[in-house]
Amino acid sequence: MQQLLTGKTRLKGFGGEWKESKLEEYFTQRNETNQKKLPLLSVGINGVYPQDESIKKDTSNTDKSKYKRICVGDIGYNTMRMWQGRSALSSLEGIVSPAYTIITPKYPPHQPHVSCHSNDCYFCLKKS
């Protein structure tokens, strides 16, 4: 794994020099709030899922006005809890805690001119 992360070993289909990029080149941050009618979602190691399907107690604030909207195709991550796997690609639309950062891709996945395909970025984010 270390060989892959350092670029010493490459996966089939990937060649050439590595280009260091900032996430802002490929993603924009979504800061939509006041979406109280959308379902409350949780972000965990197994993805984004409805809070009411969680085995954990709902400790969310009763006032959801500051909760952030997450849409299908967005990535939600909690910077303070990344080490616990608190990042995921969303297949649902809803709201998540304001502690999360929500990013949305600027380009459709696997667009030929984009060197960082979305799935690759999602993997890097999840493993960071």
Short mmCIF file of all heavy atoms in Angstrom, two decimals, residues 52-109:
data_model
loop_
_atom_site.label_atom_id
_atom_site.label_comp_id
_atom_site.label_asym_id
_atom_site.label_seq_id
_atom_site.Cartn_x
_atom_site.Cartn_y
_atom_site.Cartn_z
N ASP A 52 -32.51 7.51 11.16
CA ASP A 52 -33.46 6.63 11.85
C ASP A 52 -33.16 5.15 11.62
O ASP A 52 -33.75 4.29 12.27
CB ASP A 52 -34.91 6.96 11.49
CG ASP A 52 -35.22 6.87 10.01
OD1 ASP A 52 -34.36 6.39 9.24
OD2 ASP A 52 -36.33 7.28 9.62
N GLU A 53 -32.21 4.82 10.73
CA GLU A 53 -31.77 3.44 10.55
C GLU A 53 -30.50 3.14 11.35
O GLU A 53 -29.99 2.03 11.31
CB GLU A 53 -31.53 3.14 9.07
CG GLU A 53 -32.79 3.15 8.24
CD GLU A 53 -32.51 2.89 6.77
OE1 GLU A 53 -31.36 2.48 6.41
OE2 GLU A 53 -33.44 3.10 5.96
N SER A 54 -30.01 4.13 12.06
CA SER A 54 -28.78 3.98 12.83
C SER A 54 -29.07 3.29 14.16
O SER A 54 -30.15 3.47 14.75
CB SER A 54 -28.17 5.36 13.10
OG SER A 54 -27.04 5.24 13.93
N ILE A 55 -28.10 2.55 14.64
CA ILE A 55 -28.24 1.93 15.96
C ILE A 55 -27.84 2.92 17.06
O ILE A 55 -28.09 2.67 18.22
CB ILE A 55 -27.41 0.64 16.08
CG1 ILE A 55 -25.93 0.92 15.82
CG2 ILE A 55 -27.94 -0.43 15.14
CD1 ILE A 55 -25.00 -0.23 16.12
N LYS A 56 -27.23 4.04 16.64
CA LYS A 56 -26.81 5.04 17.61
C LYS A 56 -27.98 5.98 17.94
O LYS A 56 -28.83 6.25 17.09
CB LYS A 56 -25.63 5.86 17.07
CG LYS A 56 -24.40 5.01 16.87
CD LYS A 56 -23.14 5.77 16.56
CE LYS A 56 -23.29 6.87 15.58
NZ LYS A 56 -22.07 7.50 15.17
N LYS A 57 -27.97 6.48 19.14
CA LYS A 57 -28.99 7.41 19.61
C LYS A 57 -28.90 8.72 18.82
O LYS A 57 -27.81 9.20 18.52
CB LYS A 57 -28.77 7.68 21.10
CG LYS A 57 -29.78 8.60 21.71
CD LYS A 57 -29.47 8.83 23.18
CE LYS A 57 -30.39 9.89 23.73
NZ LYS A 57 -30.02 10.27 25.08
N ASP A 58 -30.05 9.28 18.48
CA ASP A 58 -30.09 10.56 17.78
C ASP A 58 -29.80 11.67 18.79
O ASP A 58 -30.59 11.96 19.68
CB ASP A 58 -31.48 10.77 17.16
CG ASP A 58 -31.60 12.09 16.40
OD1 ASP A 58 -30.64 12.89 16.40
OD2 ASP A 58 -32.65 12.31 15.79
N THR A 59 -28.62 12.28 18.64
CA THR A 59 -28.21 13.38 19.53
C THR A 59 -28.23 14.72 18.80
O THR A 59 -27.63 15.68 19.26
CB THR A 59 -26.80 13.12 20.09
OG1 THR A 59 -25.88 13.00 19.00
CG2 THR A 59 -26.76 11.87 20.95
N SER A 60 -28.92 14.76 17.67
CA SER A 60 -28.94 15.99 16.87
C SER A 60 -29.74 17.08 17.57
O SER A 60 -30.62 16.81 18.40
CB SER A 60 -29.53 15.72 15.48
OG SER A 60 -30.88 15.34 15.57
N ASN A 61 -29.43 18.30 17.21
CA ASN A 61 -30.11 19.47 17.74
C ASN A 61 -31.55 19.49 17.24
O ASN A 61 -31.81 19.11 16.10
CB ASN A 61 -29.35 20.72 17.28
CG ASN A 61 -29.73 21.96 18.03
OD1 ASN A 61 -30.88 22.13 18.40
ND2 ASN A 61 -28.76 22.81 18.25
N THR A 62 -32.49 19.93 18.06
CA THR A 62 -33.88 20.03 17.60
C THR A 62 -34.03 21.11 16.52
O THR A 62 -34.88 20.99 15.65
CB THR A 62 -34.84 20.32 18.77
OG1 THR A 62 -34.38 21.47 19.47
CG2 THR A 62 -34.92 19.14 19.72
N ASP A 63 -33.20 22.14 16.59
CA ASP A 63 -33.19 23.18 15.56
C ASP A 63 -32.23 22.75 14.44
O ASP A 63 -31.02 22.79 14.61
CB ASP A 63 -32.74 24.52 16.16
CG ASP A 63 -32.61 25.62 15.11
OD1 ASP A 63 -33.11 25.45 13.97
OD2 ASP A 63 -32.00 26.67 15.44
N LYS A 64 -32.77 22.34 13.33
CA LYS A 64 -31.97 21.84 12.21
C LYS A 64 -31.67 22.92 11.17
O LYS A 64 -31.19 22.61 10.08
CB LYS A 64 -32.68 20.66 11.53
CG LYS A 64 -33.10 19.54 12.46
CD LYS A 64 -32.04 18.51 12.60
CE LYS A 64 -32.48 17.23 13.26
NZ LYS A 64 -32.91 17.30 14.62
N SER A 65 -31.92 24.17 11.49
CA SER A 65 -31.76 25.24 10.50
C SER A 65 -30.32 25.40 10.02
O SER A 65 -30.09 25.87 8.91
CB SER A 65 -32.27 26.57 11.05
OG SER A 65 -31.50 26.98 12.17
N LYS A 66 -29.35 25.01 10.82
CA LYS A 66 -27.95 25.14 10.42
C LYS A 66 -27.39 23.84 9.83
O LYS A 66 -26.23 23.78 9.43
CB LYS A 66 -27.11 25.59 11.60
CG LYS A 66 -27.40 27.03 12.02
CD LYS A 66 -26.44 27.47 13.10
CE LYS A 66 -26.54 28.91 13.50
NZ LYS A 66 -27.73 29.60 13.46
N TYR A 67 -28.20 22.80 9.79
CA TYR A 67 -27.75 21.53 9.22
C TYR A 67 -27.57 21.70 7.72
O TYR A 67 -28.28 22.45 7.07
CB TYR A 67 -28.75 20.41 9.55
CG TYR A 67 -28.51 19.85 10.93
CD1 TYR A 67 -28.50 20.67 12.04
CD2 TYR A 67 -28.29 18.50 11.12
CE1 TYR A 67 -28.27 20.17 13.31
CE2 TYR A 67 -28.06 17.98 12.38
CZ TYR A 67 -28.04 18.82 13.48
OH TYR A 67 -27.79 18.33 14.72
N LYS A 68 -26.58 20.99 7.18
CA LYS A 68 -26.19 21.18 5.77
C LYS A 68 -26.83 20.15 4.86
O LYS A 68 -26.92 18.97 5.19
CB LYS A 68 -24.67 21.08 5.65
CG LYS A 68 -23.94 22.19 6.38
CD LYS A 68 -22.45 22.04 6.20
CE LYS A 68 -21.71 23.15 6.89
NZ LYS A 68 -20.25 22.98 6.74
N ARG A 69 -27.22 20.63 3.69
CA ARG A 69 -27.79 19.75 2.67
C ARG A 69 -26.68 18.94 2.01
O ARG A 69 -25.62 19.48 1.67
CB ARG A 69 -28.51 20.59 1.62
CG ARG A 69 -29.13 19.77 0.52
CD ARG A 69 -29.86 20.68 -0.45
NE ARG A 69 -30.46 19.93 -1.52
CZ ARG A 69 -30.56 20.37 -2.76
NH1 ARG A 69 -30.09 21.58 -3.06
NH2 ARG A 69 -31.13 19.63 -3.68
N ILE A 70 -26.93 17.66 1.82
CA ILE A 70 -26.04 16.79 1.07
C ILE A 70 -26.89 16.14 -0.02
O ILE A 70 -28.03 15.76 0.22
CB ILE A 70 -25.35 15.74 1.96
CG1 ILE A 70 -24.28 14.97 1.19
CG2 ILE A 70 -26.36 14.82 2.64
CD1 ILE A 70 -23.36 14.12 2.08
N CYS A 71 -26.35 16.09 -1.24
CA CYS A 71 -27.08 15.56 -2.39
C CYS A 71 -26.40 14.31 -2.92
O CYS A 71 -25.24 14.03 -2.59
CB CYS A 71 -27.15 16.61 -3.50
SG CYS A 71 -28.07 18.08 -3.02
N VAL A 72 -27.11 13.59 -3.77
CA VAL A 72 -26.55 12.42 -4.43
C VAL A 72 -25.29 12.84 -5.19
O VAL A 72 -25.31 13.83 -5.93
CB VAL A 72 -27.58 11.78 -5.39
CG1 VAL A 72 -26.96 10.65 -6.18
CG2 VAL A 72 -28.80 11.31 -4.62
N GLY A 73 -24.19 12.12 -4.99
CA GLY A 73 -22.94 12.44 -5.67
C GLY A 73 -22.03 13.36 -4.87
O GLY A 73 -20.87 13.55 -5.24
N ASP A 74 -22.52 13.93 -3.78
CA ASP A 74 -21.69 14.77 -2.91
C ASP A 74 -20.85 13.88 -1.99
O ASP A 74 -21.18 12.71 -1.76
CB ASP A 74 -22.54 15.67 -2.01
CG ASP A 74 -23.21 16.81 -2.75
OD1 ASP A 74 -22.90 17.02 -3.95
OD2 ASP A 74 -24.04 17.50 -2.12
N ILE A 75 -19.80 14.45 -1.45
CA ILE A 75 -19.00 13.79 -0.42
C ILE A 75 -19.18 14.58 0.86
O ILE A 75 -19.07 15.81 0.86
CB ILE A 75 -17.51 13.75 -0.80
CG1 ILE A 75 -17.30 12.95 -2.08
CG2 ILE A 75 -16.68 13.16 0.35
CD1 ILE A 75 -15.89 13.01 -2.61
N GLY A 76 -19.45 13.88 1.92
CA GLY A 76 -19.52 14.51 3.24
C GLY A 76 -18.37 14.01 4.08
O GLY A 76 -18.08 12.81 4.08
N TYR A 77 -17.70 14.93 4.78
CA TYR A 77 -16.63 14.49 5.67
C TYR A 77 -16.54 15.40 6.89
O TYR A 77 -16.85 16.57 6.84
CB TYR A 77 -15.28 14.38 4.96
CG TYR A 77 -14.69 15.68 4.47
CD1 TYR A 77 -13.83 16.41 5.27
CD2 TYR A 77 -14.97 16.15 3.20
CE1 TYR A 77 -13.26 17.60 4.81
CE2 TYR A 77 -14.42 17.33 2.73
CZ TYR A 77 -13.56 18.05 3.55
OH TYR A 77 -13.01 19.22 3.10
N ASN A 78 -16.13 14.80 7.98
CA ASN A 78 -15.92 15.52 9.23
C ASN A 78 -14.42 15.53 9.47
O ASN A 78 -13.82 14.49 9.76
CB ASN A 78 -16.65 14.82 10.38
CG ASN A 78 -16.55 15.58 11.68
OD1 ASN A 78 -15.53 16.20 11.97
ND2 ASN A 78 -17.59 15.53 12.46
N THR A 79 -13.80 16.69 9.32
CA THR A 79 -12.35 16.82 9.43
C THR A 79 -11.83 16.28 10.76
O THR A 79 -10.79 15.63 10.80
CB THR A 79 -11.94 18.30 9.27
OG1 THR A 79 -12.56 18.81 8.10
CG2 THR A 79 -10.44 18.45 9.15
N MET A 80 -12.56 16.51 11.82
CA MET A 80 -12.12 16.09 13.15
C MET A 80 -12.27 14.58 13.37
O MET A 80 -11.71 14.04 14.30
CB MET A 80 -12.89 16.85 14.23
CG MET A 80 -12.71 18.35 14.19
SD MET A 80 -11.00 18.85 14.40
CE MET A 80 -10.79 18.51 16.12
N ARG A 81 -13.05 13.91 12.51
CA ARG A 81 -13.30 12.49 12.72
C ARG A 81 -12.95 11.64 11.50
O ARG A 81 -13.42 10.52 11.37
CB ARG A 81 -14.76 12.30 13.11
CG ARG A 81 -15.08 13.04 14.41
CD ARG A 81 -16.47 12.85 14.86
NE ARG A 81 -16.57 11.52 15.48
CZ ARG A 81 -17.72 10.99 15.84
NH1 ARG A 81 -18.86 11.63 15.65
NH2 ARG A 81 -17.76 9.80 16.39
N MET A 82 -12.10 12.17 10.61
CA MET A 82 -11.69 11.41 9.43
C MET A 82 -11.00 10.11 9.83
O MET A 82 -11.14 9.10 9.16
CB MET A 82 -10.75 12.23 8.55
CG MET A 82 -11.43 13.34 7.78
SD MET A 82 -12.45 12.76 6.45
CE MET A 82 -11.24 12.55 5.17
N TRP A 83 -10.28 10.13 10.94
CA TRP A 83 -9.56 8.93 11.38
C TRP A 83 -10.54 7.81 11.75
O TRP A 83 -10.15 6.65 11.80
CB TRP A 83 -8.65 9.27 12.56
CG TRP A 83 -9.38 9.77 13.76
CD1 TRP A 83 -9.77 11.07 14.02
CD2 TRP A 83 -9.85 9.01 14.88
NE1 TRP A 83 -10.44 11.14 15.22
CE2 TRP A 83 -10.50 9.89 15.77
CE3 TRP A 83 -9.78 7.65 15.21
CZ2 TRP A 83 -11.08 9.47 16.95
CZ3 TRP A 83 -10.36 7.24 16.41
CH2 TRP A 83 -10.98 8.14 17.26
N GLN A 84 -11.80 8.15 11.98
CA GLN A 84 -12.82 7.16 12.28
C GLN A 84 -13.60 6.74 11.03
O GLN A 84 -14.55 5.97 11.12
CB GLN A 84 -13.84 7.72 13.28
CG GLN A 84 -13.29 7.93 14.67
CD GLN A 84 -14.35 8.54 15.58
OE1 GLN A 84 -15.06 9.46 15.19
NE2 GLN A 84 -14.44 8.01 16.78
N GLY A 85 -13.20 7.24 9.89
CA GLY A 85 -13.90 6.89 8.65
C GLY A 85 -15.13 7.75 8.42
O GLY A 85 -16.07 7.33 7.76
N ARG A 86 -15.14 8.95 8.94
CA ARG A 86 -16.29 9.84 8.79
C ARG A 86 -16.24 10.62 7.50
O ARG A 86 -16.20 11.83 7.47
CB ARG A 86 -16.39 10.80 9.98
CG ARG A 86 -16.64 10.14 11.29
CD ARG A 86 -17.99 9.49 11.27
NE ARG A 86 -18.24 8.87 12.57
CZ ARG A 86 -19.34 8.30 12.91
NH1 ARG A 86 -20.33 8.24 12.04
NH2 ARG A 86 -19.49 7.76 14.08
N SER A 87 -16.23 9.88 6.39
CA SER A 87 -16.32 10.49 5.06
C SER A 87 -17.01 9.48 4.16
O SER A 87 -16.81 8.27 4.30
CB SER A 87 -14.94 10.83 4.52
OG SER A 87 -14.18 9.66 4.33
N ALA A 88 -17.85 9.98 3.26
CA ALA A 88 -18.56 9.06 2.37
C ALA A 88 -19.15 9.78 1.18
O ALA A 88 -19.50 10.96 1.25
CB ALA A 88 -19.67 8.34 3.14
N LEU A 89 -19.28 9.03 0.10
CA LEU A 89 -19.98 9.46 -1.09
C LEU A 89 -21.47 9.21 -0.85
O LEU A 89 -21.86 8.12 -0.45
CB LEU A 89 -19.49 8.64 -2.29
CG LEU A 89 -20.24 8.80 -3.61
CD1 LEU A 89 -20.12 10.23 -4.12
CD2 LEU A 89 -19.69 7.82 -4.63
N SER A 90 -22.28 10.23 -1.08
CA SER A 90 -23.71 10.11 -0.78
C SER A 90 -24.51 9.58 -1.96
O SER A 90 -24.37 10.05 -3.08
CB SER A 90 -24.28 11.46 -0.35
OG SER A 90 -25.63 11.31 0.03
N SER A 91 -25.39 8.63 -1.67
CA SER A 91 -26.36 8.16 -2.66
C SER A 91 -27.76 8.63 -2.27
O SER A 91 -28.74 8.21 -2.86
CB SER A 91 -26.32 6.63 -2.75
OG SER A 91 -26.66 6.06 -1.50
N LEU A 92 -27.82 9.51 -1.25
CA LEU A 92 -29.09 10.03 -0.75
C LEU A 92 -29.06 11.55 -0.68
O LEU A 92 -27.98 12.16 -0.64
CB LEU A 92 -29.35 9.50 0.67
CG LEU A 92 -29.41 7.98 0.85
CD1 LEU A 92 -29.42 7.64 2.33
CD2 LEU A 92 -30.63 7.43 0.15
N GLU A 93 -30.24 12.15 -0.63
CA GLU A 93 -30.34 13.59 -0.38
C GLU A 93 -30.94 13.78 1.00
O GLU A 93 -31.88 13.08 1.38
CB GLU A 93 -31.22 14.28 -1.41
CG GLU A 93 -31.31 15.79 -1.16
CD GLU A 93 -32.16 16.52 -2.18
OE1 GLU A 93 -32.85 15.86 -2.98
OE2 GLU A 93 -32.13 17.76 -2.17
N GLY A 94 -30.38 14.70 1.75
CA GLY A 94 -30.88 14.98 3.09
C GLY A 94 -30.05 16.06 3.74
O GLY A 94 -29.41 16.87 3.06
N ILE A 95 -30.06 16.06 5.07
CA ILE A 95 -29.25 17.02 5.83
C ILE A 95 -28.35 16.28 6.80
O ILE A 95 -28.69 15.19 7.27
CB ILE A 95 -30.12 18.06 6.59
CG1 ILE A 95 -31.12 17.37 7.52
CG2 ILE A 95 -30.81 19.00 5.61
CD1 ILE A 95 -31.89 18.34 8.43
N VAL A 96 -27.18 16.88 7.04
CA VAL A 96 -26.21 16.31 7.98
C VAL A 96 -25.78 17.41 8.95
O VAL A 96 -25.99 18.59 8.71
CB VAL A 96 -24.99 15.71 7.26
CG1 VAL A 96 -25.39 14.52 6.39
CG2 VAL A 96 -24.25 16.74 6.44
N SER A 97 -25.15 16.99 10.01
CA SER A 97 -24.67 17.92 11.03
C SER A 97 -23.83 19.04 10.44
O SER A 97 -23.08 18.82 9.48
CB SER A 97 -23.82 17.14 12.04
OG SER A 97 -23.06 18.01 12.84
N PRO A 98 -23.90 20.23 11.03
CA PRO A 98 -23.06 21.34 10.56
C PRO A 98 -21.57 21.07 10.75
O PRO A 98 -20.74 21.80 10.21
CB PRO A 98 -23.50 22.53 11.40
CG PRO A 98 -24.65 22.10 12.22
CD PRO A 98 -24.82 20.64 12.07
N ALA A 99 -21.22 20.03 11.50
CA ALA A 99 -19.81 19.68 11.70
C ALA A 99 -19.18 19.11 10.43
O ALA A 99 -17.96 19.01 10.32
CB ALA A 99 -19.68 18.67 12.83
N TYR A 100 -20.02 18.72 9.46
CA TYR A 100 -19.52 18.12 8.23
C TYR A 100 -19.25 19.17 7.16
O TYR A 100 -19.92 20.20 7.09
CB TYR A 100 -20.53 17.10 7.68
CG TYR A 100 -20.49 15.83 8.47
CD1 TYR A 100 -21.21 15.70 9.65
CD2 TYR A 100 -19.69 14.78 8.07
CE1 TYR A 100 -21.15 14.55 10.40
CE2 TYR A 100 -19.62 13.62 8.81
CZ TYR A 100 -20.34 13.51 9.97
OH TYR A 100 -20.26 12.37 10.72
N THR A 101 -18.26 18.87 6.35
CA THR A 101 -18.00 19.64 5.14
C THR A 101 -18.61 18.84 4.00
O THR A 101 -18.42 17.62 3.92
CB THR A 101 -16.48 19.81 4.93
OG1 THR A 101 -15.94 20.52 6.03
CG2 THR A 101 -16.19 20.57 3.64
N ILE A 102 -19.33 19.51 3.13
CA ILE A 102 -19.96 18.87 1.99
C ILE A 102 -19.31 19.42 0.73
O ILE A 102 -19.26 20.63 0.53
CB ILE A 102 -21.49 19.14 1.95
CG1 ILE A 102 -22.15 18.79 3.28
CG2 ILE A 102 -22.13 18.39 0.78
CD1 ILE A 102 -21.97 17.36 3.73
N ILE A 103 -18.79 18.52 -0.09
CA ILE A 103 -18.19 18.95 -1.36
C ILE A 103 -18.90 18.24 -2.50
O ILE A 103 -19.37 17.12 -2.37
CB ILE A 103 -16.67 18.73 -1.41
CG1 ILE A 103 -16.30 17.26 -1.16
CG2 ILE A 103 -15.96 19.64 -0.42
CD1 ILE A 103 -14.80 16.97 -1.31
N THR A 104 -18.98 18.94 -3.62
CA THR A 104 -19.65 18.41 -4.80
C THR A 104 -18.69 18.52 -5.99
O THR A 104 -17.97 19.52 -6.12
CB THR A 104 -20.98 19.18 -5.05
OG1 THR A 104 -21.69 18.56 -6.11
CG2 THR A 104 -20.78 20.63 -5.34
N PRO A 105 -18.62 17.49 -6.83
CA PRO A 105 -17.68 17.52 -7.95
C PRO A 105 -18.01 18.62 -8.97
O PRO A 105 -19.17 18.86 -9.26
CB PRO A 105 -17.82 16.14 -8.60
CG PRO A 105 -18.77 15.37 -7.79
CD PRO A 105 -19.39 16.27 -6.78
N LYS A 106 -16.96 19.26 -9.48
CA LYS A 106 -17.14 20.26 -10.54
C LYS A 106 -17.36 19.59 -11.89
O LYS A 106 -17.92 20.19 -12.79
CB LYS A 106 -15.89 21.15 -10.63
CG LYS A 106 -15.73 22.11 -9.48
CD LYS A 106 -14.50 22.99 -9.70
CE LYS A 106 -14.34 23.99 -8.59
NZ LYS A 106 -13.16 24.85 -8.81
N TYR A 107 -16.89 18.36 -12.04
CA TYR A 107 -16.97 17.65 -13.31
C TYR A 107 -17.71 16.33 -13.11
O TYR A 107 -17.61 15.71 -12.07
CB TYR A 107 -15.57 17.33 -13.84
CG TYR A 107 -14.67 18.53 -13.90
CD1 TYR A 107 -13.71 18.75 -12.92
CD2 TYR A 107 -14.79 19.44 -14.94
CE1 TYR A 107 -12.88 19.86 -12.98
CE2 TYR A 107 -13.96 20.55 -15.00
CZ TYR A 107 -13.01 20.75 -14.02
OH TYR A 107 -12.21 21.85 -14.07
N PRO A 108 -18.41 15.86 -14.14
CA PRO A 108 -19.03 14.54 -14.05
C PRO A 108 -17.95 13.47 -13.86
O PRO A 108 -16.84 13.63 -14.36
CB PRO A 108 -19.73 14.35 -15.39
CG PRO A 108 -19.83 15.72 -15.98
CD PRO A 108 -18.69 16.52 -15.41
N PRO A 109 -18.26 12.37 -13.16
CA PRO A 109 -17.27 11.31 -12.98
C PRO A 109 -16.76 10.78 -14.32
O PRO A 109 -17.51 10.67 -15.27
CB PRO A 109 -18.04 10.21 -12.24
CG PRO A 109 -19.19 10.91 -11.60
CD PRO A 109 -19.52 12.08 -12.50
#
